[in-house]
Structure formats: C-alpha cells, structure tokens
Amino acid sequence: MGSFKDVVGHKDILKYISSAVENNRVSHAYILNGERGSGKKMLANLFATTLLCESGNSEPCGKCHSCRQAESGNHPDIIRVTHEKPNSISVDDIRTQVNNTVDIKPYQGPYKVYIIPQADLMTPQAQNAILKTIEEPPAYAVFLLLTENAETLLPTINSRCVMLKLRNIKDTLIRKYLMENLEIPDYKADMCTAFAQGNVGRAIMLANSEHFNEIREEAVQLLKHIHDMELSEIVAAVKNISVYKLEITDYLDIIMIWYRDVLLYKATKEIDKVVFKDQLQSIKEQARKSSYEGIELILESLEKAKARLKANVNFDLVMELLFLTIKEN
C-alpha cells in the first residue's frame, strides 16, 4: 500500500485528501475515475488508511496499529466489496456487503470505509440499492467508488459523489519510477514508458513482463503482413497471445499505438513522437498507403473492439470484424 510519497503523480488528488482530512471536510461518497492501471486502488487504500490513522495527521503514519491493519488488508473498518460474477456487481452483492452492514458502527476507528472496485459494473438494481444508502448515510460512513467510466453510473449517484479524476502521468515521472524503483535499464524504461501512454500501472506491467518484446514483435509482424493473411490466420495469431498472460486489450493498445504513429507521421512528417521508432520505414510506408479516413476508422474500430470484449462479446466475432476493417483500410 505504501505512503503518499510512493504515489507516482496524482499530486492534486493527494493534496485534496490531505486537506479534506486535515480540515475535517470529508465527504460521504467519492468516485475515483480512471483507466485500468491508473492507480485507483492505491489511492483508495491510502485515503481509507489516512481516515483511520491513529496519528490524526493528514496522511498515514504507517506505524500505528490501524495503519498496520490497513497495510495487511485486515482492518475491520475498511470493507472491500467483492462480486462473484466477473462482469457485474449484483443487487445482492450490494445489499449483503453494504446495505445490511452500514448501520453497524465502526469497530475501532472514526470512520467505516467502503471501497467498491469496478463500481461501473453495478447493475441498475445494484446502483439503485446503493443510492439509497448514499443519500442518507450514517455520519461515519465513507464510500469510495472506483470506476473506469463514471458515466455509466446513474446521474443521481454522480451528483451525490465528489469526483476525483485520475489523469495521465508525465512520461518523465513514469520513466524515473521504472529506473529508480524497479531498476529497469534506460532503454527498456523508454520503451515501456512510450507504450504506457501516461498509465503508470501499464508501464509497471510491461516492465515486469518477460515476454513484452516478443508480444510487441508479434504485433509488428502481424501489422506488416496483415494484408496478405486470411482472417482465420489473423484470429489464430491473436489468440496465441494468451500464452503470454497478456490482456487482449493491452495487445490491442499496442496495435492502436502503431496506427497513431501512422496517423501522426502522415499528418506531420515528424518522428520525435513516434513510439515505434525502430519501425519507422514501415510506419512511413503505411502512412503513404493509408488515407486519413481509413486510419481514423481503424482507430475507432479498435476502441469499439475493446468495449465489446469488456462486455464479453464473442472473441472470434469481435476480432474478425476488427481485422476485416484493418485489412480493408
């Protein structure tokens, strides 16, 4: 869990947390909104730990009994809502873990903190159930809803929560973190930072991946030869990435960065911001052959494919539609 100094970026959110605790102006409900890997869980854990720290300071001391409990994940006043179904949080999950327990006073601290990861997976019934609690919460209850897309929540929930948006982190900070904290060599830190696109969690995941170079190379070869391949060959090649235990959306992000490079070069002829610098000749060739409309259509199709896969739409169907668009453009 660490401390405030371990957080890369997000200084505005840390400042807000410190100020709210120090001035006793803690709201009853917050939404921490940011993409996967942006640091929502870490910030939520630090917020909860700060609220319950026995030192009374504006950030956790890390030494008191409460901080040690929070660090080990065993604090009785920090409730992390879980769900059995991978793609939805049901009304029963909310009723059992939140509504039926919220009236029980904190066991040892001044607050009782509910952390709800993937809160945007709540069904409409689950959202309505938690809305009633958020509208009239006990004075000691604090709710931290972690979302990738807060817009999927009911407007009434959004209006009753303080929104904390996690923004992209500067490349210089991510690169520094990888080199100093994870002892990643500079050339690899440069590559992971470029592909992370401001997401420190993704940068760490890529830096720790034993197979990132292989995955990247497979993606490059696919993109170079895609126009000569059958759809069945393409889908089979994409399926092979599962052996590397990489999320398919991360793989699609690599392809998306390739086409952003193509679009960037086509529009500006500048190479400084191109991520695939070692593939510059192929990027130039792709830019020459592709139209602006075609590249933009591919980028839109990649976004749609990621959304459909998150919604658990058939993998083969999604991939066939995506790569058919890529082949035609």
Side-chain angles (χ1 to χ4, degrees):
M1 187 179 300
S3 63
F4 279 20
K5 69 177 184 296
D6 297 318
V7 178
V8 182
H10 306 309
K11 299 306 178 188
D12 54 336
I13 295 179
L14 294 177
K15 185 177 179 180
Y16 175 87
I17 292 172
S18 292
S19 177
V21 173
E22 187 175 357
N23 297 305
N24 197 27
R25 298 185 64 180
V26 177
S27 179
H28 63 277
Y30 295 86
I31 294 173
L32 283 80
N33 190 68
E35 62 184 20
R36 182 170 58 91
S38 59
K40 297 185 295 292
K41 286 185 180 179
M42 175 180 245
L43 286 169
N45 289 334
L46 285 170
F47 198 167
T49 307
T50 304
L51 289 171
L52 296 165
C53 179
E54 295 166 18
S55 71
N57 294 329
S58 57
E59 61 180 87
C61 71
K63 299 176 183 178
C64 69
H65 179 62
S66 178
C67 282
R68 292 198 301 272
Q69 283 183 308
E71 181 73 33
S72 65
N74 293 317
H75 201 297
D77 296 325
I78 300 176
I79 298 92
R80 294 174 176 84
V81 176
T82 60
H83 53 102
E84 291 186 7
K85 293 182 179 178
N87 295 310
S88 70
I89 300 174
S90 71
V91 65
D92 287 338
D93 292 326
I94 296 300
R95 285 174 178 163
T96 302
Q97 298 175 65
V98 181
N99 295 4
N100 294 350
T101 65
V102 73
D103 288 329
I104 302 171
K105 291 183 178 180
Y107 288 97
Q108 63 189 48
Y111 294 99
K112 188 171 189 177
V113 186
Y114 287 86
I115 299 176
I116 308 179
Q118 298 179 295
D120 36 5
L121 294 183
M122 287 190 291
T123 64
Q125 295 85 353
Q127 291 188 47
N128 279 310
I130 200 166
L131 177 60
K132 294 177 182 178
T133 303
I134 290 176
E135 285 177 329
E136 298 180 4
Y140 51 77
V142 176
F143 299 91
L144 304 178
L145 280 63
L146 316 187
T147 64
E148 289 187 36
N149 183 9
E151 292 180 2
T152 61
L153 298 177
L154 295 171
T156 42
I157 290 181
N158 274 292
S159 67
R160 284 166 173 78
C161 298
V162 174
M163 178 69 70
L164 301 177
K165 292 184 179 180
L166 282 72
R167 308 188 188 282
N168 285 347
I169 308 301
K170 291 180 180 178
D171 285 354
T172 51
L173 292 177
I174 295 178
R175 184 179 185 276
K176 181 180 179 183
Y177 179 84
L178 295 179
M179 293 181 65
E180 293 183 1
N181 294 67
L182 302 184
E183 299 181 350
I184 302 298
D186 56 358
Y187 69 90
K188 187 173 181 181
D190 286 339
M191 184 168 59
C192 294
T193 298
F195 277 92
Q197 299 287 288
N199 185 312
V200 68
R202 185 180 297 138
I204 293 169
M205 182 274 291
L206 295 174
N208 288 330
S209 171
E210 297 177 10
H211 305 289
F212 177 59
N213 289 338
E214 296 170 54
I215 296 163
R216 178 183 179 279
E217 184 58 27
E218 283 197 16
V220 166
Q221 292 306 315
L222 176 67
L223 292 167
K224 281 183 175 180
H225 303 292
I226 191 168
H227 295 286
D228 302 319
M229 297 170 69
E230 297 294 330
L231 269 177
S232 57
E233 294 177 295
I234 297 167
V235 174
V238 174
K239 273 187 175 179
N240 284 340
I241 70 157
S242 62
V243 302
Y244 299 121
K245 296 188 168 83
L246 185 78
E247 291 276 351
I248 183 62
T249 51
D250 291 318
Y251 185 80
L252 295 183
D253 280 341
I254 292 174
I255 295 176
M256 187 174 290
I257 290 167
W258 171 278
Y259 281 103
R260 282 177 181 164
D261 277 357
V262 172
L263 184 61
L264 176 70
Y265 182 79
K266 187 174 183 68
T268 68
K269 297 295 186 291
E270 293 178 3
I271 63 173
D272 288 347
K273 293 183 179 180
V274 169
V275 175
F276 282 94
K277 284 187 171 63
D278 61 327
Q279 299 294 326
L280 196 55
Q281 195 56 45
S282 296
I283 294 292
K284 289 179 178 179
E285 184 66 15
Q286 185 75 59
R288 186 184 65 79
K289 291 180 179 178
S290 304
S291 66
Y292 285 110
E293 294 80 5
I295 300 168
E296 288 170 0
L297 182 60
I298 289 171
L299 290 171
E300 288 174 9
S301 298
L302 282 159
E303 290 287 4
K304 288 178 182 176
K306 287 165 63 178
R308 287 168 180 158
L309 290 171
K310 282 185 180 179
N312 217 23
V313 178
N314 181 270
F315 176 88
D316 287 354
L317 177 62
V318 172
M319 290 297 104
E320 285 177 14
L321 288 172
L322 170 63
F323 286 106
L324 184 60
T325 301
I326 292 175
K327 276 176 68 68
E328 291 179 346
N329 291 279

